[in-house]
Amino acid sequence: MLTEKMWNAIRDIYNAILSHPFIKGLVNGTLEEEKFKYYILQDYLYLREFSKALAIISAKAEKQDEAMLFSSHLQSIMRVENELHNFFMSTWNISEEEKAKLIPSPTNLLYTSFLLSTVLYKPYFEAVSAVLPCYWIYMEVGKELLKKGSPNYLYDRWIKTYGGEEYEKGVRAVLEIVNSFKLTPEEEATAIRTFRIASIMEYMFWDSAYKLEKFPFNF
């Protein structure tokens, strides 16, 4: 199956994510809250762009059930993710004015630009391959962390969002779509490469939060 080949192609990346100090710090509660806050705020910005990518994929889908699936995921993100982010925003007393002034980190801008350019200009199979890591890696990381939980209630709240059965159900549906693709060997190689590139950026996203990454100049 294509998804099996994809996962085999990113095992090094996934293992690096699980062993990253950001992820380890979530579980044992030692992660500095400043870094987690940075991550949540960047994730808030990221998901606005990811939602646009899903809307485009939904429009590109030739099968009605697939179009409806991605459309439903778009609505789910807007509901569930907004609820999660609003919880953290209210916890940290972040106002609407402050939210409006947020700017994406270099990695965030790189990742979302890659996603949007891929879903806009590349074939449907490649577009789905680009967004799949955000679905799949989060599910696998969430399931792994759910086994351990976190002594920090903020981190534990985040873990339970991505480690739940409802989230996994949505991911499995996308995996089925990927495995239904009828691709040439060249197209399959492209799908795997696109999936790996986006997976690398998933690692970079957590790494950038741990490093509190910033642009070298203001804009």
Side-chain angles (χ1 to χ4, degrees):
M1 291 191 298
L2 178 55
T3 55
E4 185 176 348
K5 294 177 182 178
M6 285 176 157
W7 194 257
N8 286 336
I10 66 153
R11 288 191 180 277
D12 57 332
I13 301 167
Y14 179 66
N15 290 334
I17 289 172
L18 287 185
S19 61
H20 196 282
F22 185 95
I23 299 299
K24 286 188 170 182
L26 280 177
V27 173
N28 60 30
T30 60
L31 180 69
E32 296 96 323
E33 191 170 318
E34 180 187 12
K35 295 179 178 180
F36 183 70
K37 181 178 179 181
Y38 176 103
Y39 164 79
I40 291 295
L41 295 179
Q42 287 300 317
D43 194 47
Y44 164 76
L45 295 175
Y46 167 86
L47 286 170
R48 290 196 310 191
E49 304 306 302
F50 187 76
S51 296
K52 296 174 188 175
L54 292 187
I56 296 167
I57 291 176
S58 177
K60 276 192 168 187
E62 294 183 0
K63 296 179 180 178
Q64 187 178 19
D65 59 336
E66 294 182 10
M68 291 176 65
L69 177 74
F70 286 112
S71 177
S72 69
H73 288 178
L74 169 59
Q75 294 175 46
S76 177
I77 283 177
M78 294 176 71
R79 185 182 69 255
V80 178
E81 300 284 1
N82 283 347
E83 181 183 327
L84 181 69
H85 287 132
N86 287 339
F87 165 76
F88 289 119
M89 300 287 189
S90 61
T91 299
W92 294 317
N93 295 315
I94 296 174
S95 67
E96 290 299 321
E97 288 183 359
E98 290 173 301
K99 284 163 66 174
K101 292 178 182 178
L102 293 173
I103 60 170
S105 67
T107 292
N108 197 350
L109 187 60
L110 171 68
Y111 192 4
T112 54
S113 297
F114 169 75
L115 288 179
L116 289 172
S117 64
T118 301
V119 300
L120 276 169
Y121 301 117
K122 300 296 183 180
Y124 177 64
F125 79 86
E126 196 172 342
V128 178
S129 300
V131 299
L132 182 57
C134 184
Y135 278 97
W136 199 1
I137 290 176
Y138 266 72
M139 181 189 79
E140 296 295 345
V141 170
K143 285 167 62 179
E144 198 63 35
L145 300 190
L146 197 59
K147 298 174 185 175
K148 305 168 184 176
S150 175
N152 184 306
Y153 81 99
L154 291 176
Y155 305 166
D156 199 57
R157 172 71 182 266
W158 182 88
I159 289 171
K160 286 176 178 173
T161 299
Y162 293 101
E165 290 183 7
E166 192 62 31
Y167 182 76
E168 182 170 350
K169 183 180 178 182
V171 178
R172 295 296 176 195
V174 178
L175 293 176
E176 287 180 15
I177 290 173
V178 173
N179 284 327
S180 73
F181 290 151
K182 307 299 182 187
L183 306 178
T184 66
E186 292 77 14
E187 288 172 335
E188 186 173 283
T190 297
I192 293 171
R193 180 177 180 274
T194 299
F195 178 74
R196 181 171 170 83
I197 291 172
S199 297
I200 292 170
M201 293 185 192
E202 283 292 328
Y203 172 88
M204 291 170 63
F205 199 93
W206 274 307
D207 189 59
S208 67
Y210 191 75
K211 294 174 179 176
L212 300 174
E213 179 189 60
K214 291 179 176 59
F215 280 96
F217 303 97
N218 294 328
F219 61 89

